[in-house]
Amino acid sequence: MAAAPEELSPGGGARSAWKRHIIGALKQRDRRQKASFQDVIEAYSRLLENTGLLWQLTGKIQTELKDPHICHTSRSPRISLLVPSSPESLHAMKEQYQEQVTELQHTGGELAYKIIELNKSLVAKDGKLEEQEVRVSDLDEEVQHLEASRKCLRDLVDLQETENVELKVEYDQVLKWKHQKEEKLRVAVHKGEEILQEMVKKKVQEAVNRNRKNERVKKIRISNEIKKATEKTVNIDMEREEVMTLDLKALSLDIPEPQDSGRTLNRAFRSASATMLSSSKLVETFKEFFDFRKRRVNSMSSQSENVYPKAPLCVASSIPSKAIFVLEAHDSEVNGVKFSPSSKLVATGGADRVIKLWDVMGGRLHNIQNLEGCNSSITSVEFSPSGTQILAASSDKAAHLWSLDGNKSKDTLTGHSDKVTAAKFKSVIHQAVTGSMDRTVKEWDLHKGACLRSIRVPSFCTDVVCSDYFIISGHHDKKIRFWDSRVTRCTQEIPVQGKVTSLNINPEQTQLLSCSRDDTLKVIELRMNNVRQVFRADGFKCGGDLTRAIFSPDGNYAIAGSADGALFVWNVTTGRLERSLQGMHSACVNAVAWSLSGEYVVSIDRKRMVVLWSSF
Amino acid sequence: MEPEPSRLESSLELSLTGSTASLLLPPRSRIFKIIVIGDSNVGKTCLTYRFSSGCFPGHTEATIGVDFRERVLDIDCEKIKIQLWDTAGQERFRKSMVQHYYRNVHAVVFVYDVTNLASFLSLPSWIEECKQHSLTYDVPRILVGNKCDLRDEIQVPIDMAQKFADTQNMPLFETSAKNPNDSDHVEAIFLTLAHKLKCHKPMMLSQPPDNNKVLLQPEQRDDVTCWC
């Protein structure tokens, strides 16, 4: 407004005086008007500025409301600028700011607390860090040490390995050497074995040759002897008889030596001697020589009465094949059974203390007679060789003798102190032998009824048989003992494998059959005193302590009863089981008897049964 | 391991001389086969050698199979040849030969070592083997205890041995093959045995007389010689 006239050109002075005056007057009016409005203009401008500022403030406050975290601190310097302009808002602002200040102080306090804490933790962490560092340094040291020692050990290991390698080389060499030596040893052992085998073979051959040579020499000798013997003449002359028999016997001494060929030779020789001299005279002369004791006997009218006449020999016995008669014979178990020498009568005796006599007629058994008088059970029954007397051994410690001819007398032989298990007639008349559990074997004179001799034996006697020269007894202690007729001494003991339950002698008196509890029967050759045969059979069991087994009357077979009731028949020469008869007995067979004619066999068992067998 | 060839030769030699000797002998003279049985190393070879040749063998080895030693004796003017079978004691050396030992043997001599109890305790098994070969009852058997010169080492007292011998019914002799003057003379033992064999007499009293022989001379049975 008032600025323009100054710039007009200064040259117009006189004309411009009034212009300058007008301009000056205008300027003064300008200044005067401006001065009155100057305050208002200044206040107006100030207001404009304030409103501008307030506008900005409100804008900022709005943004702060949306986002209170931003520019919190930056507000404070701006806020201090605005404090002097407007009081109401200033107050509010002041309050606000004071709130903010207290807030900030709070947070400052918190932060300061936090700072302290953080400082503490920082210190602690620093401490830990130091510790860790110390530890780390220690471990580092250790690691170094260990590394050093590891190195040392590794060196050692290497050293050992080299040594090992050397040793292994040595070992391999030694091993190889050992293998070689072992191989050599094996070869040498093998060779040694071979040589040994060869040597043994040679030795065997040599032994065989020697044995053969010995046999040859013996055969030559024996054939020479035989030639000599056959060339000798024998006189059948009464005076020279004894001498001749002696000579014959002297020559026959050497004969039994060869086991294989000798037996037939023996038989031939015997029959030759038997035919050359009459048999009864021979028997008599032998008896005269060997039986010294007979001379002491008072009653001796003639020589021929001293022995029983020889029983008829059985020509051939037939093995029974079937039972033809069965009978319940007694009231209790039957222990002994025998045929009479005439084959007509059978005597059975048992635990019912009676001996029953049966007649065998038409294939049946008829009870003829009963013999009583025993006080206890009967263990064995025996006929005299003449058939007129029966001798029974009994458990009442005595043996009983019945006479079957006219006078029907009865004798009792007492003297034993325990049960008598067997009683047999001797081949000399009027004499008998008994065996008992009191460990004695007694010889009796039947005329007087007195004991002639008592032999002490070491064990229970279960059976007794007599041959011409011996008494043979079987015992509990598994032995068979031979007693010589003249001397009270056991001349021979044959052991067997089980308790001896029975003995039986064959009619020719050459063999002895023994039955023992080990379920075997043994045939013993009496001259050689050796066991010739052993009989066994499947199913044959010796059932009791007094089970009796016998020879057949011709001596070819042996028969025995078994515990299950079967009868077994063996062939003596071959040793085979010929037959077994079963089905008739239901209990243990105690004894068997075979008739002298060879036809019948009677067996008895524990269940009181008597069975008659025949082969027809 | 190989046996000395000299040992083999010596036994063959002896057997050869024996056989030639037997050829020279009249054929009627009897040969008695006596076998000597016992454990290994009891002295069977030394005993038989001592009897057959009169001296003690300095160096012996385990007998393989059997060795034969023979000697001819003159008993009652009869020439008797004693054929001693010195058998092997070790099982492996004798296993195929046992039946040949016992065939037709006339007498058996059981030998044990008095300084070795085990050899005495195995006698029952030898006797059992003998029994299994079914010798007849008149084959005399005798029991001999060897090495009795080693007095400090005796393990088998004489009473034990005598008791055993009695149960077996055999006469007992203690002797030494090395020092024959110790106890019973080896020579005497075999001579007695030979004598008994010749006369067919029993070795022990309780053995049976042969039924068909001795009965003819009853007075001889009273002549009992004491065996102790």
Side-chain angles (χ1 to χ4, degrees), chain A residues 488-550:
Chain A
T488 54
R489 196 181 60 215
C490 173
T491 53
Q492 155 102 314
E493 264 182 32
I494 298 182
V496 292
Q497 263 68 51
K499 295 186 228 171
V500 180
T501 64
S502 86
L503 295 173
N504 190 257
I505 202 165
N506 69 345
E508 298 161 320
Q509 302 200 345
T510 54
Q511 291 176 335
L512 179 71
L513 177 74
S514 82
C515 176
S516 49
R517 287 308 303 258
D518 61 331
D519 306 332
T520 60
L521 269 67
K522 288 189 169 63
V523 175
I524 296 166
E525 197 66 35
L526 283 178
R527 257 187 308 252
M528 307 305 296
N529 284 320
N530 61 341
V531 176
R532 239 196 95 206
Q533 292 277 12
V534 179
F535 299 135
R536 278 188 193 85
D538 249 6
F540 173 65
K541 279 191 188 20
C542 186
D545 271 0
L546 296 178
T547 301
R548 311 293 194 195
I550 57 166

Side-chain angles (χ1 to χ4, degrees), chain A residues 535-575:
Chain A
F535 299 135
R536 278 188 193 85
D538 249 6
F540 173 65
K541 279 191 188 20
C542 186
D545 271 0
L546 296 178
T547 301
R548 311 293 194 195
I550 57 166
F551 275 116
S552 65
D554 63 345
N556 280 339
Y557 302 104
I559 184 169
S562 160
D564 57 344
L567 291 182
F568 289 83
V569 186
W570 288 270
N571 188 322
V572 170
T573 27
T574 64

Side-chain angles (χ1 to χ4, degrees), chain A residues 203 210-211 214 253 529, chain B residues 15 67 70 83 137 212-213:
Chain A
K203 290 279 180 176
R210 286 257 168 175
N211 277 334
N214 286 350
L253 286 186
N529 284 320
Chain B
S15 58
D67 283 338
E70 294 183 338
Q83 189 182 83
Y137 279 90
N212 36 358
K213 293 174 201 182

Side-chain angles (χ1 to χ4, degrees), chain A residues 200-216:
Chain A
V200 166
K201 255 193 252 176
K202 281 196 192 136
K203 290 279 180 176
V204 167
Q205 198 55 47
E206 215 182 314
V208 164
N209 289 343
R210 286 257 168 175
N211 277 334
R212 281 200 203 132
K213 205 164 61 147
N214 286 350
E215 277 173 32
R216 260 208 314 268

Side-chain angles (χ1 to χ4, degrees), chain B residues 204-216:
Chain B
M204 294 284 276
L205 298 177
S206 55
Q207 278 189 3
D210 286 309
N211 295 343
N212 36 358
K213 293 174 201 182
V214 192
L215 296 171
L216 297 172

Side-chain angles (χ1 to χ4, degrees), chain A residues 339-346 359-360 594-598 600:
Chain A
F339 271 94
S340 73
S342 60
S343 299
K344 290 219 181 58
L345 291 176
V346 179
D359 196 356
V360 185
W594 206 315
S595 71
L596 263 165
S597 58
Y600 297 107

Side-chain angles (χ1 to χ4, degrees), chain A residues 69-105:
Chain A
H69 296 288
I70 302 171
C71 305
H72 199 256
T73 46
S74 62
R75 244 175 67 202
S76 21
R78 293 268 180 95
I79 295 168
S80 62
L81 283 171
L82 293 172
V83 170
S85 48
S86 76
E88 302 96 7
S89 62
L90 283 173
H91 195 68
M93 262 198 239
K94 191 179 163 192
E95 275 181 21
Q96 208 180 9
Y97 295 149
Q98 273 183 346
E99 275 175 32
Q100 281 175 3
V101 162
T102 49
E103 253 181 68
L104 288 170
Q105 277 175 352

